[in-house]
Amino acid sequence: MRRRRQWSKKNIAPKYEIPRSYWVEQGYDDDYIKLVENLITEIEFDVRILTSAEGRRQIFLSGCMVMNPETDDEECISETILHDDALMPYWRKFSDALKVSKESSLFAFDQVQLSTELLDLLEPAVINRNIKNFGLRQNEFDNIQRGISYAVNVMGSIRRMREFEWSYNEVYSGEDFRPLLEAVLHHPSINKISFANSLRGGVDDYHVMQSLLSSQKNFTEIDLEGNRIQTLSASGERLTHLPDFLRTNPPLMILNLSGNCLDDIDLGLIANALKYNNNLISLFVSYQQPGVGEEGISALQKAIFDDSSLNSISDSNHICGIIVDHGWRGNALKLNNCSDRRRSSYRTKAQNRAIKLYSELSSRNKERTNVYHLGVELKDEDLSCINFGLMPSVLSCIYTYYAHRSECRHVPDWNPESCFVVPLSIMYEILSGTLADILG
């Protein structure tokens, strides 16, 4: 407490302000000036909270958010705030405040340039903090090696860190990137990692993905968006580490591969692997890019809803929600809705399975084909006639599926008016059709 009081007294001084004219004279437009002013406000707010009695548990300094006075809402401007000597007094106050503050669960810089001078100032204040989530995004380092060493040093000093993000910070040398990858792989606690839109030039992006998958670290989230990963080696060999990994049913829950160079064959192999996976709840892939078309997306669709029969529907993947970008408009890939199990609007595996089965029974009911399909699917072992002994179970399941469907407070991917019929209609169709078969 003594250090905090001393720091507060030391800073009872006239407020340092940068006149707006300073930025205008350097040629910056109104949007950029708003971003800088907003960043300064964030820094000053964090300094006040960091040096207060309760401290601040989340530090997220963003250079992309401004307030719209007309809507009173935040808007994002995709522009990074560059280093400027005029900002250094604010950064010094921020660094001093970090040194006397309590732990922070989140520590992230988004679209703020981290110059070598600024990193040299911040690193001693960040080292050994109890940070759970450490994020660096679009920071336009003036020295990429210094940026990487900063990240590596912070990670190495915080053994309980759980999440690390390095995104939109392009690295063109495999030698430069290697310390960053090794720091993640050898860290004892990190299980959520993002290297989105960062692997370029001489960095072997497939090797990075393979290293993460084969590390035995039990990652729960991996984000490799926008890294141009492809599975064909220089010799033309198809590399299958990704589908082979998913088949083992690892703890991985979120995998973002959007914006990479996967093709229809890759998506087909992934689709086959999803039959053996009960943990992945979100998979991001791309559409309408070289090598990806209807064949690959259809394979993924069939993995989560194979409507060949009721048994094939039941055996489908009811956990993984697949998000396809770049122009895909198919609703079938949205059938699984488990991406946040804490929210009541999201469904369980049992509910997803029930919705699919009941939708198929409803579709068949509209065509009056349930009895025909059940006749095909429920034959005796000699395949000569329907196994009527299974009928009570079938009729019971109809209400079970309907009950699960009705439990869903929110079914965003279906229109109940058009997709579902009442269970009595299905029951009547099956019973009347079965009775007609029995009576000849």
Side-chain angles (χ1 to χ4, degrees):
M1 288 296 293
R2 182 181 178 185
R3 292 182 63 193
R4 181 174 293 115
R5 286 196 297 269
Q6 288 177 339
W7 186 92
S8 299
K9 289 179 180 179
K10 181 180 69 174
N11 287 272
I12 300 176
K15 184 178 179 181
Y16 171 76
E17 292 184 352
I18 306 173
R20 187 178 180 87
S21 60
Y22 173 83
W23 305 107
V24 174
E25 291 171 0
Q26 296 190 66
Y28 293 115
D29 59 20
D30 286 342
D31 282 343
Y32 185 87
I33 295 173
K34 288 178 182 178
L35 290 175
V36 175
E37 292 173 342
N38 185 68
L39 176 64
I40 291 173
T41 300
E42 287 187 28
I43 294 174
E44 291 181 325
F45 177 77
D46 282 344
V47 167
R48 287 197 299 270
I49 300 299
L50 282 167
T51 55
S52 66
E54 68 273 13
R56 183 160 177 76
R57 292 187 60 81
Q58 294 194 348
I59 305 297
F60 182 80
L61 289 172
S62 173
C64 65
M65 303 305 297
V66 297
M67 292 300 297
N68 186 330
E70 297 180 0
T71 62
D72 198 32
D73 291 328
E74 287 188 324
E75 294 184 351
C76 182
I77 299 177
S78 183
E79 188 169 3
T80 300
I81 295 179
L82 302 178
H83 172 80
D84 195 289
D85 288 340
L87 292 172
M88 287 306 293
Y90 294 102
W91 288 122
R92 291 189 186 97
K93 287 185 178 182
F94 177 71
S95 177
D96 289 341
L98 282 174
K99 293 175 183 177
V100 299
S101 68
K102 297 181 179 180
E103 65 182 41
S104 301
S105 59
L106 167 66
F107 193 87
F109 287 90
D110 183 10
Q111 293 184 223
V112 176
Q113 184 178 33
L114 298 178
S115 65
T116 298
E117 181 182 0
L118 182 53
L119 292 177
D120 291 343
L121 174 69
L122 292 177
E123 185 171 311
V126 180
I127 290 289
N128 294 319
R129 292 182 65 83
N130 191 17
I131 298 172
K132 301 295 190 300
N133 184 340
F134 182 38
L136 297 169
R137 185 179 188 276
Q138 196 169 324
N139 304 119
E140 297 193 17
F141 301 102
D142 58 10
N143 185 323
I144 192 66
Q145 290 92 345
R146 179 65 184 100
I148 290 173
S149 69
Y150 167 74
V152 169
N153 293 340
V154 172
M155 274 192 284
S157 72
I158 305 170
R159 312 306 289 168
R160 297 176 63 187
M161 186 182 295
R162 306 292 292 179
E163 303 180 35
F164 175 65
E165 176 183 4
W166 175 283
S167 61
Y168 291 88
N169 287 315
E170 297 181 334
V171 185
Y172 288 86
S173 165
E175 184 177 352
D176 288 343
F177 188 78
R178 187 178 301 110
L180 192 61
L181 177 61
E182 290 181 353
V184 170
L185 296 177
H186 293 118
H187 196 280
S189 303
I190 291 177
N191 61 12
K192 298 180 181 180
I193 178 66
S194 173
F195 287 135
N197 294 280
S198 295
L199 312 180
R200 299 289 183 264
V203 180
D204 186 343
D205 40 26
Y206 189 91
H207 171 73
V208 172
M209 180 183 72
Q210 180 186 351
S211 298
L212 294 173
L213 299 181
S214 62
S215 65
Q216 305 298 319
K217 279 185 59 63
N218 293 329
F219 286 105
T220 58
E221 295 185 20
I222 295 178
D223 184 356
L224 293 171
E225 178 183 1
N227 286 313
R228 305 184 183 279
I229 296 171
Q230 60 180 354
T231 63
L232 286 178
S233 67
S235 63
E237 177 188 4
R238 175 73 56 174
L239 305 176
T240 62
H241 296 91
L242 174 59
D244 293 344
F245 171 75
L246 294 177
R247 284 175 66 95
T248 65
N249 198 27
L252 186 67
M253 298 175 65
I254 299 175
L255 176 61
N256 190 348
L257 295 172
S258 178
N260 286 285
C261 299
L262 305 181
D263 58 22
D264 280 341
I265 296 176
D266 294 317
L267 298 189
L269 293 172
I270 291 172
N272 185 64
L274 290 179
K275 299 176 183 179
Y276 308 92
N277 192 296
N278 293 312
N279 288 318
L280 192 68
I281 59 176
S282 292
L283 171 66
F284 297 79
V285 295
S286 294
Y287 178 63
Q288 289 185 344
Q289 64 179 30
V292 175
E294 297 288 339
E295 181 180 346
I297 301 300
S298 296
L300 291 174
Q301 179 175 306
K302 190 171 184 179
I304 64 175
F305 189 14
D306 183 354
D307 60 357
S308 303
S309 68
L310 294 181
N311 283 333
S312 65
I313 293 175
S314 182
D315 292 337
S316 298
N317 184 299
H318 305 297
I319 290 292
C320 186
I322 301 174
I323 299 90
V324 184
D325 62 9
H326 300 313
W328 178 256
R329 295 292 182 267
N331 288 325
L333 285 173
K334 302 176 183 177
L335 297 181
N336 292 337
N337 198 9
C338 301
S339 58
D340 189 341
R341 293 165 180 168
R342 296 168 297 179
R343 291 174 54 183
S344 59
S345 61
Y346 282 83
R347 303 187 293 266
T348 65
K349 176 181 178 180
Q351 288 173 329
N352 283 330
R353 176 177 175 272
I355 287 174
K356 296 172 192 177
L357 287 166
Y358 196 82
S359 70
E360 183 67 14
L361 291 171
S362 296
S363 177
R364 293 177 179 181
N365 175 256
K366 294 174 183 178
E367 300 171 354
R368 292 296 186 265
T369 60
N370 266 312
V371 175
Y372 165 77
H373 284 290
L374 289 174
V376 173
E377 296 165 1
L378 300 179
K379 288 185 180 296
D380 277 325
E381 291 183 0
D382 62 3
L383 302 180
S384 60
C385 60
I386 296 177
N387 186 345
F388 291 108
L390 295 176
M391 274 306 163
S393 297
V394 172
L395 298 176
S396 174
C397 285
I398 293 172
Y399 278 100
T400 300
Y401 302 153
Y402 184 79
H404 275 306
R405 187 203 68 81
S406 301
E407 288 173 2
C408 301
R409 296 186 183 182
H410 182 45
V411 187
D413 310 316
W414 294 91
N415 181 351
E417 298 280 336
S418 61
C419 291
F420 301 117
V421 300
V422 295
L424 184 60
S425 178
I426 300 175
M427 293 277 287
Y428 177 78
E429 177 202 358
I430 293 176
L431 287 173
S432 60
T434 302
L435 184 61
D437 284 347
I438 294 175
L439 297 178

